[in-house]
Amino acid sequence: MIDKIFAKSKENGKIKLVEHSIAVINVSVYLFNQIIKEKINFNDFRKENIKKFKQELILTAALHDIGKCSKRFQKELNKCELTDDGNYMLPKTKKNSSHFIPHNVSGWAYLYYYCKNISDIIKNNILYHHTVDPTFGKKTVLDIVTDDDMVKSKDTYDEFYKYMIRYCNDTYGLDCNIDITEAYDDNLDNKTVDSVSLYRQVIANSSKFPTMMDSASKYLIIRSIIVFSDRFVSAHYNKIDLMRNNDNSFFEEEISDKIINSSKKWIDNVNELKDEFGNSVYDSERLVEQNRLLEDIGKHSNNIVSASAGFGKTLVGLRWILRNNKKALWVVPRNVIAEGTYRSVCSERDKMGYTEDDISIGLLITGQWKHGSIDSDIIITNIDNFLSMMIRNNMAGHLIKEIGCNIIFDEYHEFLCRQELFAGFIEFVYTRCKFTNSKTLLLSATP
């Protein structure tokens, strides 16, 4: 039955659901291996480990589109339009005023009701891998699974679920129970869609605070990887065979080189730069201090640098990026600072003798690209745009850069405030430092 179930419409490649799901698993695992540390000391060490973390990612990828097993979704698929976050929806007309349940919502409800062995972190990431239509916010799990279409489609859901669990067990060495139970929780008739938080709640004064932080990081990482992988596979549907067959060279070229690492070979040439009279282009005394600093911070993945105005923090930041030879984000507090930083970084790049082709620099403010694009080698943005990718589904595909690339948080002391952005900033710094191979540099002129 499932060999006739499609993930994509004719217009978008008519890819079968099994093929799409396997490709998403493979891209997700590739990214996990690239970005995540091999050893993580979980706070809840008795229950959590890297193997379980990776298993949750694989199962989320395998089941993220299980809601597409809906008979009505399959019937209406070629009539649907893609939303800006890649979801399929019927165009809103009087005739179509009653939409079918979105596949992320129906998939979440099916897993909650029937699959006891699937963790909440998997189910909730499946719910939020697309925007959650507020029309269905008050629907309970029971409302959704007793919907006429879902009742008629259950055999297909079951078949796909069992097939993907077996695939994950056989291919990735998982040992997951494929049993399908029913109504394991008496409270599910009160579990509504909008009762599920987009991110994990962390309570600062709780005795479980460290464990909560780990859980929040896992959730952020899984969502970042799944959303990117789903959209990447969809955008490259003509290469589905390469992704399904785990073509590592394709992944390196299209994901690692273009998204995270730099395929260019940058050199920090500042010490060799001379003017026409043979003198150093940069202040020699200041250069000695900068060189010493760069040697020190080069020994560690995460550093805080407090330096007074005039020390040349912008030059230090740019040289740090070049020495690591990895794409980077440069995050500042406000738009006006972002614009000034963009001009300064471009000026330093030009002074080094590099061009835009050598080191491309993008500027993202007010949700728009003023210069460059998401593919730029260095992206300069403000903290609001940086954090908006956590909650704006049309931007969520870029979250992978925020956990996978190197980052400079410039004038980071301004992010330490009572506003909501403080929590987002802390979660990103904690996640990057503890879970990922990415490097973080925090700069400030305020000690």
Side-chain angles (χ1 to χ4, degrees):
M1 192 185 307
I2 60 173
D3 62 341
K4 297 179 182 178
I5 301 299
F6 293 91
K8 300 297 170 186
S9 64
K10 290 179 181 178
E11 186 180 358
N12 294 283
K14 201 177 181 182
I15 305 298
K16 291 182 178 178
L17 182 57
V18 167
E19 291 181 323
H20 173 78
S21 301
I22 290 173
V24 172
I25 294 172
N26 292 339
V27 172
S28 297
V29 170
Y30 176 82
L31 282 165
F32 188 94
N33 293 339
Q34 287 277 306
I35 294 172
I36 305 304
K37 291 179 179 178
E38 290 185 6
K39 293 183 178 180
I40 300 171
N41 294 318
F42 291 92
N43 287 305
D44 190 7
F45 62 91
R46 291 164 297 181
K47 298 179 181 178
E48 298 292 344
N49 55 58
I50 192 71
K51 183 178 179 181
K52 181 182 177 183
F53 183 18
K54 193 171 186 177
Q55 174 177 302
E56 287 178 319
L57 173 77
I58 292 170
L59 291 175
T60 307
L63 302 171
H64 76 285
D65 272 353
I66 191 171
K68 292 181 178 179
C69 291
S70 152
K71 288 183 180 293
R72 187 170 179 203
F73 178 89
Q74 291 297 315
K75 180 181 178 181
E76 306 285 6
L77 177 56
N78 292 317
K79 299 178 184 176
C80 290
E81 296 177 348
L82 279 173
T83 63
D84 60 0
D85 74 335
N87 204 351
Y88 280 102
M89 300 291 288
L90 282 169
K92 291 186 177 180
T93 64
K94 289 182 179 180
K95 187 177 181 180
N96 291 332
S97 58
S98 178
H99 291 322
F100 54 76
I101 301 171
H103 72 272
N104 54 323
V105 175
S106 57
W108 165 80
Y110 170 83
L111 293 173
Y112 248 110
Y113 194 77
Y114 294 110
C115 305
K116 184 176 182 178
N117 58 308
I118 299 297
S119 70
D120 284 2
I121 199 169
I122 296 171
K123 297 166 187 171
N124 295 350
N125 267 295
I126 287 172
L127 177 64
Y128 279 109
H129 83 280
H130 290 298
T131 299
V132 175
D133 190 331
T135 305
F136 299 91
K138 300 302 179 185
K139 295 280 188 181
T140 67
V141 169
L142 197 61
D143 290 335
I144 297 166
V145 298
T146 56
D147 177 81
D148 185 56
D149 175 58
M150 284 201 68
V151 171
K152 292 178 181 177
S153 307
K154 184 177 180 297
D155 287 346
T156 309
Y157 276 83
D158 292 351
E159 184 183 350
F160 178 80
Y161 173 80
K162 291 177 180 179
Y163 181 93
M164 293 310 302
I165 296 298
R166 290 194 185 99
Y167 175 85
C168 292
N169 289 346
D170 294 343
T171 306
Y172 285 101
L174 274 58
D175 186 21
C176 300
N177 192 327
I178 64 170
D179 290 346
I180 297 173
T181 57
E182 184 171 336
Y184 73 92
D185 187 339
D186 293 335
N187 295 319
L188 285 184
D189 55 344
N190 296 319
K191 182 79 173 180
T192 61
V193 174
D194 61 10
S195 69
V196 180
S197 299
L198 177 59
Y199 286 103
R200 314 302 287 171
Q201 187 177 20
V202 176
I203 303 172
N205 60 359
S206 169
S207 61
K208 296 182 179 179
F209 175 73
T211 303
M212 288 179 177
M213 286 296 291
D214 278 2
S215 177
S217 292
K218 285 175 59 182
Y219 194 95
L220 173 61
I221 289 168
I222 290 176
R223 181 165 181 259
S224 301
I225 291 178
I226 293 299
V227 171
F228 172 85
S229 300
D230 183 31
R231 297 181 192 183
F232 180 85
V233 171
S234 297
H236 295 80
Y237 62 81
N238 57 332
K239 304 289 186 181
I240 189 72
D241 288 342
L242 294 176
M243 294 180 284
R244 186 169 51 85
N245 294 324
N246 235 339
D247 190 303
N248 198 63
S249 60
F250 174 75
F251 291 156
E252 284 183 4
E253 181 180 349
E254 294 296 326
I255 298 176
S256 183
D257 290 351
K258 291 185 178 179
I259 307 298
I260 300 169
N261 298 312
S262 174
S263 56
K264 305 168 185 176
K265 298 302 177 185
W266 296 325
I267 299 173
D268 175 11
N269 62 2
V270 166
N271 291 291
E272 287 73 45
L273 290 177
K274 306 293 181 181
D275 62 19
E276 57 183 318
F277 303 107
N279 300 315
S280 176
V281 169
Y282 289 91
D283 181 276
S284 298
E285 292 184 9
R286 192 177 69 171
L287 210 52
V288 170
E289 292 300 316
Q290 288 185 354
N291 290 340
R292 185 182 296 122
L293 173 64
L294 284 162
E295 289 302 317
D296 287 342
I297 65 178
K299 299 172 185 176
H300 308 281
S301 295
N302 306 290
N303 295 273
I304 297 174
V305 174
S306 295
S308 60
F311 180 78
K313 294 197 310 305
T314 301
L315 181 59
V316 168
L318 181 54
R319 294 179 67 190
W320 178 79
I321 291 171
L322 299 186
R323 288 185 175 207
N324 285 299
N325 208 220
K326 192 174 185 180
K327 294 199 172 191
L329 281 72
W330 197 311
V331 184
V332 301
R334 298 179 300 281
N335 286 345
V336 65
I337 297 178
E339 292 172 331
T341 301
Y342 172 80
R343 290 191 295 270
S344 296
V345 174
C346 287
S347 176
E348 295 291 4
R349 176 200 62 192
D350 297 345
K351 196 172 179 180
M352 290 181 183
Y354 286 113
T355 67
E356 179 70 15
D357 290 335
D358 301 320
I359 306 169
S360 56
I361 302 173
L363 176 62
L364 173 65
I365 53 177
T366 64
Q368 297 179 326
W369 290 99
K370 302 297 183 181
H371 301 280
S373 69
I374 194 65
D375 297 323
S376 298
D377 297 318
I378 302 171
I379 296 172
I380 298 169
T381 189
N382 67 13
I383 190 67
D384 292 328
N385 280 277
F386 178 84
L387 295 176
S388 70
M389 296 183 190
M390 294 177 72
I391 56 175
R392 290 176 56 191
N393 262 58
N394 63 330
M395 296 288 285
H398 304 320
L399 276 170
I400 199 68
K401 280 185 170 287
E402 300 192 350
I403 62 168
C405 294
N406 289 345
I407 292 184
I408 295 175
F409 288 109
D410 202 348
E411 302 297 344
Y412 73 91
H413 62 276
E414 292 197 31
F415 307 150
L416 309 180
C417 60
R418 294 186 179 276
Q419 297 173 14
E420 289 80 359
L421 62 84
F422 172 62
F425 167 68
I426 290 297
E427 185 170 328
F428 263 109
V429 173
Y430 180 87
T431 299
R432 289 172 53 79
C433 292
K434 183 168 184 178
F435 286 82
T436 79
N437 295 315
S438 309
K439 296 184 178 182
T440 307
L441 179 61
L442 296 102
L443 297 175
S444 176
T446 301

